Amino acid sequence: MQQFMAQLQQLLAAPGSGPVNWDLARQVAASQLSSAGDPAVTPYERNAVEESLRLADLWLDPTSAHPSGIRTSVAWNRNEWIYKTLDVWKKLCDPVAGRMVAAMGDLVPPEARAQLGPMQSMISTLGGALFGGQLGQALGSLAAEVLSAGDIGLPLGPAGTAALLPANIRAYGDGLELPEDEVRLYVALREAAHQRLFQHVPWLRGHVLTSVEMYATGITVNREAIEEAMGRIDPTNPESMQELALEGIFTPEDTPAQKASLSRLETTLALVEGWVCHVVDTAAAERLPNVNRLGEAFRRRRAAGGPAEQTFAALVGLELRPRRLREAAALWAALTEHRGIAGRDALWGHPDLLPAEADFADPDAFARSQLDLGDLDDFDFGGPEDASDPDRPEGSSDPRRPEEGPGSGRPEE
């Protein structure tokens, strides 16, 4: 927060656009990473990441009806993860931050607003700076924990770019007491699986991000919490700014619409993560000696969420961890058994084909239910948005109409 204090006066004098001062957020995150350490990626690590992702795609070929979604394989340090994912964070956080800034303005009595005049904009600027500083701290902490671009289940990075963070993978492997190359390959499998899903299911990226946005629109601002936080600021004591915390300001509305929005979001996150867990563990089952330990560790990690994810949830009122992850993985396993790989992955053709939350209770019953894809010739497989996918590589198969290939159930390429 030293960076925040050093620039506060300048920020008040030159308001930025939008409810969050993202320049400040990036600076605070970078400052935090500089203090904690952000090892540079070595040429050896870059080559190891590229080779791991290449091998991961080969292993996934027999287990997925979707072809590779990787255009570019890269190794990021922690600052690069923040920089490359910031555009999506803006999309996710701006709606919530906008309500907080508006609530700060509402704290000023109506009769006093006319007298403030141009000074009223300073309140919005201060709110954007406060939120930017807090969000920068959360992103800095998260950058020290994530293992890849798709690690938290959201499509945060550029489309078609598979990215691993070698420093974080090394630290995570040390904690598990497992070989670094085996942990890196397992993370590469998960990243490559995420890329297949988000690249070749045209509607999924927009659906996930829209679900998060819809949930965010139902988050209310606790004005008393804002008033209490602002009351702790002592203009004569800069240290009081460093101790300011905005946690607890945002709370979900307890309405049927908000509950339904949360249920859709949790189900989607669980289905994505469950699919990834299933295809990755299937691909690695006969190849990685410690696949069972790795799979269990990752399921616990995703189900519980790390410290940084918990901080982020407290800050913006949104939990990124999928619930009912094990049930979702069991459902995809049952679908593979009863319908094969092509039949399982055909369900990604449209959100209405996917299992609902109620189907988690009896995976076998859902998997055995009859679904004649021949009756769906007139079905709009483009999803709720335009079915065209400008990000799909040229020459790749159209996943909306999967054709069973010989043997493995994969599309013929």
Side-chain angles (χ1 to χ4, degrees):
M1 291 296 288
Q2 287 85 355
Q3 188 80 19
F4 169 75
M5 291 304 303
Q7 298 193 9
L8 180 58
Q9 186 173 3
Q10 177 184 351
L11 292 167
L12 292 176
S17 60
V20 178
N21 190 314
W22 286 102
D23 287 338
L24 179 61
R26 187 169 57 245
Q27 291 165 7
V28 169
S31 176
Q32 182 170 318
L33 289 176
S34 177
S35 301
D38 186 14
V41 178
T42 67
Y44 168 80
E45 288 172 330
R46 293 188 188 280
N47 291 335
V49 165
E50 292 175 1
E51 179 63 21
S52 295
L53 287 166
R54 184 194 67 80
L55 184 58
D57 252 345
L58 290 176
W59 286 8
L60 288 172
D61 276 343
T63 70
S64 169
H66 303 300
S68 172
I70 299 177
R71 297 180 192 170
T72 307
S73 300
V74 294
W76 287 342
N77 63 14
R78 294 160 180 169
N79 267 296
E80 285 178 304
W81 178 84
I82 292 175
Y83 181 78
K84 298 292 187 181
T85 64
L86 203 60
D87 284 344
V88 177
W89 289 119
K90 291 178 182 179
K91 186 178 180 68
L92 298 179
C93 297
D94 274 351
V96 178
R99 282 191 291 284
M100 186 205 76
V101 172
M104 290 180 65
D106 290 342
L107 294 177
V108 180
E111 61 273 11
R113 293 175 192 171
Q115 298 177 358
L116 285 174
M119 294 288 290
Q120 183 75 16
S121 65
M122 290 182 59
I123 297 177
S124 297
T125 305
L126 177 60
L130 289 174
F131 198 92
Q134 295 283 308
L135 190 57
Q137 287 185 322
L139 291 178
S141 299
L142 198 56
E145 295 180 7
V146 294
L147 305 178
S148 67
D151 191 25
I152 62 175
L154 298 178
L156 296 175
T161 297
L164 306 187
L165 282 73
N168 293 357
I169 291 173
R170 183 167 54 252
Y172 183 69
D174 290 343
L176 295 178
E177 298 182 347
L178 290 175
E180 181 182 347
D181 58 346
E182 192 172 346
V183 176
R184 180 175 57 245
L185 186 50
Y186 192 84
V187 175
L189 282 163
R190 290 178 53 81
E191 177 71 0
H194 273 107
Q195 290 294 332
R196 287 181 182 234
L197 207 53
F198 281 105
Q199 276 291 94
H200 295 291
V201 179
W203 56 268
L204 184 58
R205 177 182 292 264
H207 180 75
V208 170
L209 296 180
T210 301
S211 295
V212 174
E213 287 185 86
M214 289 180 63
Y215 175 72
T217 60
I219 294 176
T220 58
V221 177
N222 186 335
R223 292 184 55 186
E224 292 181 358
I226 291 182
E227 199 165 2
E228 181 182 351
M230 298 300 293
R232 290 196 296 267
I233 297 178
D234 181 358
T236 64
N237 178 19
E239 296 295 325
S240 66
M241 296 291 293
Q242 300 181 36
E243 298 169 0
L244 182 65
L246 299 180
E247 288 89 343
I249 285 178
F250 304 104
T251 55
E253 286 185 346
D254 188 20
T255 64
Q258 181 68 350
K259 290 178 179 178
S261 177
L262 178 59
S263 176
R264 285 193 299 270
L265 176 57
E266 289 179 342
T267 300
T268 301
L269 291 176
L271 288 172
V272 168
E273 195 66 21
W275 186 89
V276 168
C277 287
H278 172 63
V279 299
V280 166
D281 287 351
T282 301
E286 304 297 329
R287 295 183 172 101
L288 290 181
N290 295 290
V291 63
N292 291 333
R293 283 186 60 190
L294 284 164
E296 182 60 26
F298 270 81
R299 278 187 288 273
R300 289 199 307 267
R301 178 175 178 268
R302 289 297 290 120
E309 286 187 60
Q310 295 165 9
T311 299
F312 186 83
L315 184 60
V316 300
L318 175 63
E319 292 185 350
L320 302 175
R321 56 191 173 96
R323 299 182 185 272
R324 308 189 68 178
L325 173 56
R326 294 180 189 274
E327 294 95 325
L331 198 156
W332 290 117
L335 283 164
T336 305
E337 178 184 354
H338 291 285
R339 303 190 188 186
I341 292 171
R344 177 200 71 198
D345 289 350
L347 296 184
W348 290 107
H350 191 278
D352 290 346
L353 298 178
L354 288 175
E357 183 181 7
D359 298 316
F360 286 27
D362 194 345
D364 283 334
F366 179 82
R368 287 194 303 266
S369 62
Q370 295 300 312
L371 177 63
D372 184 1
L373 294 179
D375 294 338
L376 300 178
D377 289 339
D378 297 327
F379 199 85
D380 179 13
F381 277 88
E385 300 174 359
D386 186 358
S388 62
D389 181 11
D391 292 327
R392 188 166 65 240
E394 292 184 7
S396 67
S397 61
D398 186 344
R400 292 172 291 160
R401 299 197 179 276
E403 300 176 1
E404 293 189 8
S408 67
R410 295 176 51 240
E412 293 182 296
E413 299 177 7

